[in-house]
Amino acid sequence: MACCKNKPGEVPTVLSCRYMMAYVGFFGFMWVYALRFNISVAIVCMSKVPNDTMKIEVNTTAPPEEDCGNGGNETVKRIEGEFEWSRQLQGVVLSSFFWGYIVTQVPGGWLAARYGGKIVFGAGMLLTSVATLLIPVGARGHVGVVIFLRILMGAGTGVVFPAMHGLWARWAPALERTKLITLTYAGTMIGNIFTFFVSGLLCEYGFAGGWPSIFYIMGIASAVWLILWGVFVFDNPSKHPRITDTEKDYILSSIGTNTFKDSTKMKTPWLAFCKSLPLWAIIVGHVCNNWANYTLMTSLPSYMKDVLKFNMKSNGFFSALPYMGMFVASIGGGQVADILRARGIPTTKVRKGVQFIAFVVPSIFVIAVGFLDCTQRMLAVAFLTIAVTTTALCRSGYIVNHVDIAPRYAGILFGITNTFATLPGMIAPVVVGQITQDRSRASWQIVFFICAGFYLFGAVFYTIFASGVEQEWAKAPPSDDQNNADHDGKDGEAGIPLTSMEADKPTNV
């Protein structure tokens, strides 16, 4: 049975096999991020508040807690945590995930390029789900067990982005590239929304003591999702048992049947990677975005509690709110980017333009947030929402850019750039923990200024050096396969073959 029924010769769209893979991938990345960041909320109610940190912002410009508006008295109710974990130790727990995450990036892309992304992604998620389920038992044993399990989770999820990039390099027609990839990765925002909102409620009302239910529920749900992954996802269109001939021919004519020929034997041009300025532009963009992104994702609940004085229920909701906007912007940005490309705007200009907006606008608003206190909590939430929402455009910028410049090596390249970009995940939570020991607005202001600095540097570097052109070192070896069309179609610089420019027009919906 085919993925959907269409008239003879009509290319299927929203119910096609490639879109079905995007839907399953969407929910997969929802659980990737739910498992990845659930501890950011859980740790707030797992840890006791030390007596010497109860006096917050004494002699600063921030008003006392009782003057923080209607929500001020909510902070009187505190959840007494089980563990005496200092702010510095909490930073270590939060960053330990990335110690494993950084190790498996390049191997994950390498394995996916040769043996397929399906098994690599699935194995990584299975390991992560099991480790998540063990965290409550481990936490009540020793904090070192939690750190070890978080390292395993990092190693498991470290392969998923390179594996998915490798899959889309084989599945995404040229002019659907942005919309399909952004749709898939939009699941990360839903994962954040689900995590922040549901975890905040489970901290207060969950079973097994509250916070353990966060790990049990999410670990089981992600394991169940693996069944869908096994049924609906295949390494390339030729291996899919239910794809129509029309859709398969459409995808292969756009990508080029020679692009991934003999992928298990292809040589990796490591030296060319090192010399490529467009690749370094992606690396810098990835690192700068991740510093601010990881800072917010791992520390936003703590900021909501320390400075804005939200209780756990409100904390979960308002921590999730920015990612609701991010979800909308991610989907919309992907659609707009591909529409612009289909209308003849060079891919390089599209990538640089959306990435510039994704860096500059958030830098303005995170600086502004640093000057707000708990009497202006709703304005602070609004500014954070605008900042985080706009960063979603990076999915139409440097995230997709790997596939633009080197489709054959997209998974490996993502592994490389994400290896560099994992360093902020290891460092940022520890830095935030050190800076915010007094839990004051002034210390959080420093955190936001650092984020803005990374955003602005990334905007300048990416705008100067990024490219949407398929690089010479990335092209497939010459052959008689005319479908490959040398990836030099009439776009002139986007690396889109003539066949795909013509075939994609009816499907821009």
Side-chain angles (χ1 to χ4, degrees):
M1 181 178 177
C3 292
C4 65
K5 294 181 179 180
N6 289 79
K7 296 178 182 179
E10 181 181 351
V11 178
T13 53
V14 294
L15 295 179
S16 63
C17 290
R18 66 190 185 282
Y19 269 85
M20 191 62 66
M21 189 172 82
Y23 304 146
V24 176
F26 172 94
F27 285 104
F29 279 96
M30 169 184 164
W31 292 119
V32 167
Y33 266 53
L35 301 186
R36 185 171 174 173
F37 292 108
N38 53 20
I39 200 167
S40 299
V41 178
I43 203 168
V44 176
C45 49
M46 292 168 70
S47 305
K48 295 180 179 179
V49 179
N51 292 329
D52 59 355
T53 62
M54 293 296 291
K55 295 180 180 180
I56 301 173
E57 300 196 70
V58 178
N59 297 323
T60 68
T61 57
E65 188 168 311
E66 61 268 22
D67 293 333
C68 288
N70 293 334
N73 59 3
E74 292 179 344
T75 58
V76 174
K77 180 181 179 181
R78 296 183 181 272
I79 298 176
E80 184 63 23
E82 295 185 33
F83 311 112
E84 294 183 356
W85 293 352
S86 67
R87 183 57 66 94
Q88 295 96 319
L89 181 57
Q90 291 178 43
V92 173
V93 171
L94 292 173
S95 66
S96 61
F97 172 93
F98 299 99
W99 304 348
Y101 191 69
I102 196 171
V103 173
T104 55
Q105 293 293 319
V106 175
W110 186 86
L111 290 170
R114 283 159 175 73
Y115 306 112
K118 177 178 180 177
I119 186 65
V120 174
F121 194 124
M125 281 301 290
L126 179 61
L127 173 62
T128 306
S129 300
V130 172
T132 299
L133 291 169
L134 294 175
I135 283 181
V137 175
R140 286 169 173 160
H142 190 274
V143 67
V145 179
V146 177
I147 293 172
F148 174 73
L149 290 172
R150 292 286 295 172
I151 292 172
L152 287 182
M153 292 172 65
T157 56
V159 304
V160 299
F161 276 103
M164 197 73 233
H165 249 50
L167 283 169
W168 278 127
R170 291 164 169 78
W171 271 94
L175 288 179
E176 293 183 0
R177 185 177 293 160
T178 316
K179 62 171 70 79
L180 286 170
I181 293 176
T182 54
L183 172 59
T184 303
Y185 295 157
T188 62
M189 278 77 78
I190 298 300
N192 285 332
I193 294 168
F194 178 84
T195 298
F196 286 133
F197 183 68
V198 174
S199 297
L201 294 175
L202 291 176
C203 271
E204 292 199 25
Y205 306 115
F207 58 88
W211 63 264
S213 61
I214 297 172
F215 302 103
Y216 292 139
I217 290 174
M218 295 184 185
I220 293 172
S222 62
V224 172
W225 167 84
L226 281 168
I227 299 173
L228 296 177
W229 181 258
V231 172
F232 289 103
V233 174
F234 293 86
D235 288 321
N236 59 62
S238 298
K239 290 184 178 181
H240 202 300
R242 298 181 296 276
I243 193 171
T244 63
D245 290 337
T246 302
E247 183 182 6
K248 180 169 66 174
D249 292 342
Y250 162 63
I251 294 172
L252 295 178
S253 66
S254 175
I255 296 174
T257 55
N258 191 52
T259 301
F260 298 101
K261 185 178 181 181
D262 296 327
S263 60
T264 58
K265 300 178 181 179
M266 71 181 186
K267 296 181 179 179
T268 304
W270 298 106
L271 183 59
F273 292 168
C274 296
K275 295 179 178 180
S276 175
L277 280 176
L279 177 56
W280 279 105
I282 298 174
I283 291 171
V284 171
H286 208 157
V287 169
C288 291
N289 180 77
N290 276 17
W291 180 281
N293 204 24
Y294 287 148
T295 296
L296 294 176
M297 280 191 287
T298 59
S299 304
L300 198 54
S302 296
Y303 168 75
M304 293 283 185
K305 181 179 180 181
D306 291 349
V307 178
L308 301 186
K309 316 298 186 191
F310 285 118
N311 70 357
M312 281 309 302
K313 288 184 291 185
S314 299
N315 191 330
F317 173 76
F318 287 114
S319 294
L321 191 60
Y323 297 97
M324 297 179 189
M326 196 177 186
F327 170 74
V328 175
S330 179
I331 298 294
Q335 294 288 333
V336 171
D338 277 350
I339 289 173
L340 293 174
R341 294 170 67 229
R343 291 181 177 178
I345 298 178
T347 301
T348 298
K349 290 185 178 180
V350 173
R351 299 292 181 236
K352 288 183 177 182
V354 295
Q355 192 58 57
F356 186 83
I357 296 171
F359 276 146
V360 173
V361 174
S363 69
I364 295 171
F365 282 94
V366 295
I367 289 173
V369 166
F371 291 95
L372 302 178
D373 56 41
C374 57
T375 63
Q376 302 161 303
R377 57 161 62 94
M378 298 315 298
L379 185 60
V381 170
F383 282 1
L384 282 170
T385 299
I386 294 171
V388 176
T389 294
T390 314
T391 63
L393 295 178
C394 74
R395 284 159 173 75
S396 302
Y398 76 80
I399 292 289
V400 184
N401 206 190
H402 303 78
V403 186
D404 294 327
I405 68 171
R408 278 170 60 85
Y409 307 105
I412 298 174
L413 292 190
F414 198 98
I416 292 171
T417 68
N418 213 21
T419 297
F420 284 96
T422 299
L423 294 174
M426 300 169 66
I427 300 170
V430 177
V431 171
V432 172
Q434 289 291 334
I435 293 174
T436 62
Q437 291 184 59
D438 63 354
R439 303 169 186 255
S440 69
R441 179 177 64 83
S443 61
W444 278 101
Q445 188 178 61
I446 297 172
V447 170
F448 291 132
F449 283 177
I450 294 173
C451 289
F454 274 94
Y455 278 140
L456 292 174
F457 180 78
V460 173
F461 196 96
Y462 189 86
T463 300
I464 294 173
F465 296 111
S467 173
V469 180
E470 183 178 0
Q471 304 299 292
E472 288 297 324
W473 49 261
K475 292 183 179 180
S479 75
D480 295 331
D481 181 6
Q482 297 301 314
N483 286 331
N484 195 39
D486 293 328
H487 290 276
D488 285 321
K490 59 186 176 184
D491 184 37
E493 70 150 358
I496 302 172
L498 274 168
T499 52
S500 70
M501 290 290 289
E502 296 163 354
D504 272 296
K505 290 179 181 178
T507 66
N508 283 321
V509 294

